[in-house]
Amino acid sequence: MNFLLIAALVAQVETAPPPPGPPREPHLPTPVERTLKNGLRVIVVQKGDVPLVDARLLIKTGGEADPPNLSGLADMTASLLTKGTKTRSAVQIARGVEALGATLENGAMWDASFVTINVASSNLPKALGYLADVVQNPLFAKDEIERLRAQNLDALQVSMHQPGDLARFVAARVLFGVAPYGHNLGGTPESLPRITQIDILAFHKRYYRPKNSILVFGGDITPENAFALAEKLFGGWSGGPPSSAASPRGTAALHKIVVIDMPEAGQAAVVVTRPGIRRVDPAYSIAQVTNSILGGGYSSRLNEEIRIKRGLSYGAGSAFDLRRDIGPFVASAQTKNESAVQVADLMLGEMKKLTNEPVADVEMGPRKAVLIGNFGRSLESIDSLVSRISFLALYGLSLDEINRYISLIQSVNAPQVEQFATTHLGSDSDVIIVGDAKKFADALKQRFPNAEVIPFAELDLESPTLRKH
Amino acid sequence: MAIHVWYHVGSKDDPSGRSGFAHLFEHMMFKSTAHMKAEMMDRLTEDVGGYNNAQTGDDTTFYYEELPSNYLQTLLWAEADRMGSLNVDEANFKSEREVVKEEFRTSVLAQPYGLFGYDIDKDSFAVHPYKRPTIGSIEDLDSATLADVQKFHATYYRPDNATLVVAGDFDPQQLDSWIDKYLGAVPKPDTPIPRVDVKEPPRSASKTITETAPNVPLPAVALTWLAPPRSSADRWPLQIAAVILAQGESSRLYQSLVYRQQIAQDVGAEADLREDAGIYVINATVASGKTVDAVKKAIDAELRDIEQKPVSEGELQKAKNQIITDQLRRRETNDGKAFAIGNAATLLHDAAEVNNGLKKLQAVTAADVQRVMDKYLKNGKSLTIDYESK
């Protein structure tokens, strides 16, 4: 063995991480679009590395259009689309779609209702035929309505026994009161029984129109093939623009502390909420960076303080729920009942800190990298790619935002974050805790003497007071 | 790109009286090592736009990073560093143990059906350590010590018990040289790797038990049978049967229980095949106003049917299409590809199973499906767990 070889064998491995190599340029797909004669906007993003296609039809109306006493109407309508058309029963639809290995998903969100199909590209024409049929020719048969109503009521019972879900339902009502954004998208035990076939048919007729819709294809398909399929399957769809619905946010109530007492809850859910911003707000990228620092991702401040430093939760985080109108900012965590008040206090403290202490570059850089990394990964699978494009289209934003996202995030600076936080994360947030209240009664009295404690058995999600009468 | 390191150790290897330890240990792998301070993995991944996490199962624990490809060398160094040494202090250990206890509360106690999943493991196995759920118990977590952490690392975290998978944009020659340099430098201990050799005995009789939890809005029921290990040739027929029974709205149990009779809120079937043994699980949540007995009767009727008549060619093909398209979706990303390879290499001892397995799936016949339903369900002994509110 010669000397050099021995030297190589005994060479020590570095005691500090080796630095990265030169970065590679990410490849971003370019969306192309066309509008059919009937007004349907069709967008295609070709990405051919896996033989799959994701196609999503968005109706630009969702749960915000539920009438005040009919919470859950948009979701019931969208969910029933696949339960029978003029030519196919619910069973035939399920069997046909599943035989293609496809998944067909449908429901309502805020601002939109959707039907999505994800399928091997060779089976797309057949699969898209099902999607087109359920959107244009749904039957809304009475027995299907009853079946879904019973299932939704049971599912709601289950959600209402999960502290995390229930805290979010309550938070929406506390923040938005009787305005549309205050209700639960899936309805309430009181509202679901009131929804009739007539309501559903009317909702479909009013909003499910080509001029109120967007069809987005992503994956292994050429734009020419996608446009031809869209023309063939949706070209005959008719109907003018829908009349618009009322403002969904009303006036927010602030500085309320509400506790839902759920005896024997295995953990407490803590939510801090305030009004956020619209998706189209010019401060969008500042909001993204601000939230990334505060509560977006593992090493964000909320998770750092609540989980990493103190072991109080499996995970704490926050998000701006971006909608057409001003949606909520929500910070949330689950913790043992005993530490619920401490967690709420830590959340409020971190929000306040952002308003009066500038963020250093050593923190800002990594938190921007988190956003840019998440963005890059979201383009890796076609369902999240299609989802991202759909939301840009839904809010009338330029589709080339996906090519500008990285520079938008990079350009945000510390004074912008501080100013944004001062306006949007300052004092007077609402605090909602769902948990076993006797285990945090003393801490609650001390920290939040004005808290209103509502027993679970007396909770009414329909009422702005949240109490049954 | 994605980097995965799979260790052939899981919750079945939890030390005695320390259920949940393998998972608690997994959390410690993000604390200090010889050359990294606590949470440095996050600095090397999250701070540059990457992502990292880990997952503990019954038989394996894997650690993974998704990150820009120019960080490959950095992360190979880091994975080698935490494989070679772990240097957790008491304060970090105790704080992270509290996090795991919160994870237990979130996944088991705070959800109406969290304890149900826990009970299915606990009650289905008589003697095999699979009976101890991966998340463990608060008491056992509290009794774990820092000394246990060091011992577990020395016993199982070693190159001859690990599989590295890299997927994405890299130069193979460059990768090989880095692997040699960093992971090749981690010493291989002389001690043997302990393996669980407990054999789960056949069940002597079918039985029914009741489990309870607070705040359960609707009762639920699970039926379990003992099933073969994951390496068994019966794996694919059992999985196809599970898809035919309960995957999607056109599946048999969904059609009967949820759609036609409307006695269940949801229904599932799973061939949960692990390294040493498996269980076949059918579970359902009872719809409000309906009875557990009606649900059990309907499940029984569907099982008699699939045992007595071969499934149709159309149903068989539908199930295969569902499984294959689902696999395509899972393998869209670098991380999905690395997961499939790591799983096959560690649990089936052959990375090529990621593709060969799908060929085996294609070859399954209706007679195969009928045969495995006979063998494991009809001729097996069932455990029925009734789950209800306390």
Side-chain angles (χ1 to χ4, degrees), chain A residues 255-258 444-445 447-453:
Chain A
H255 204 41
K256 279 187 148 180
I257 314 293
V258 175
L444 186 73
K445 199 179 279 178
R447 177 63 179 84
F448 301 116
N450 298 326
E452 185 181 4
V453 180

Side-chain angles (χ1 to χ4, degrees), chain A residues 297-308:
Chain A
Y298 189 82
S299 302
S300 62
R301 290 182 179 185
L302 290 177
N303 204 52
E304 181 73 35
E305 295 301 317
I306 294 169
R307 170 179 164 146
I308 300 172

Side-chain angles (χ1 to χ4, degrees), chain A residues 188-205:
Chain A
T188 66
E190 295 76 25
S191 73
L192 288 176
R194 289 195 287 259
I195 295 173
T196 67
Q197 188 190 36
I198 294 168
D199 298 324
I200 293 165
L201 285 164
F203 193 94
H204 180 263
K205 191 174 175 201

Side-chain angles (χ1 to χ4, degrees), chain A residues 166-178:
Chain A
L166 186 60
R168 278 181 286 277
F169 298 162
V170 171
R173 189 57 87 194
V174 170
L175 186 61
F176 295 111
V178 296

Side-chain angles (χ1 to χ4, degrees), chain A residues 13-24 50-52 83 90-91 94-95 98-99 101-103 118 120 144 147 151 154-155 157-158 161-163 262-267 297-299 307-309 311-314 334-336 366-367 369-370 373 377 380-382, chain B residues 27 31 35 39-40 42-44 46-51 66 69-71 73-74 77 95-96 98-99 102-103 105-106 109-113 169 181-182 185 214-215 217-218 247-251 254-255 258-259 262 265 287-288 318 321-322 325 328-329 332-334 390:
Chain A
V13 166
E14 297 98 313
T15 55
R24 311 265 294 213
V50 178
L52 283 174
K83 305 298 178 199
V91 183
R95 201 171 282 154
E98 288 166 17
T103 54
N118 186 297
E144 294 294 348
R147 184 179 279 115
Q151 285 171 359
D154 277 356
Q157 277 308 312
V158 175
H161 283 81
Q162 317 236 30
M262 189 191 273
E264 287 201 74
Q267 212 175 19
Y298 189 82
S299 302
R307 170 179 164 146
I308 300 172
K309 278 195 195 159
L312 291 172
S313 178
Y314 183 47
Q334 289 186 207
T335 184
K336 58 185 180 297
R367 300 325 293 166
V370 167
R377 281 189 298 281
E380 228 189 325
S381 65
I382 54 169
Chain B
H27 282 241
K31 300 299 175 186
H35 303 116
E39 278 84 40
M40 184 145 156
D42 301 322
R43 304 290 73 77
L44 298 179
E46 186 180 353
D47 287 4
V48 298
Y51 180 80
E66 295 174 71
S69 54
N70 55 320
Y71 287 87
Q73 184 187 6
T74 319
W77 173 87
S95 165
E96 197 60 28
E98 291 306 307
V99 169
E102 290 296 350
E103 183 178 359
R105 294 185 186 107
T106 297
L109 299 183
Q111 301 192 39
Y113 301 95
D169 174 24
K181 181 174 180 190
Y182 299 117
N215 293 317
L218 302 164
Q247 187 178 317
E249 294 188 3
S250 72
S251 63
Y254 186 93
Q255 277 294 314
V258 181
Y259 192 80
Q262 300 181 55
Q265 172 68 358
S288 54
K318 181 184 77 169
N321 283 351
Q322 283 174 285
T325 316
L328 263 182
R329 281 182 203 114
E332 266 189 274
T333 61
N334 288 324
K390 211 182 244 176

Side-chain angles (χ1 to χ4, degrees), chain A residues 41-60:
Chain A
R41 185 177 176 196
V42 184
I43 300 167
V44 188
V45 203
Q46 187 175 1
K47 181 175 182 290
D49 46 358
V50 178
L52 283 174
V53 176
D54 193 89
R56 170 176 306 211
L57 187 101
L58 274 189
I59 307 293
K60 296 194 276 185

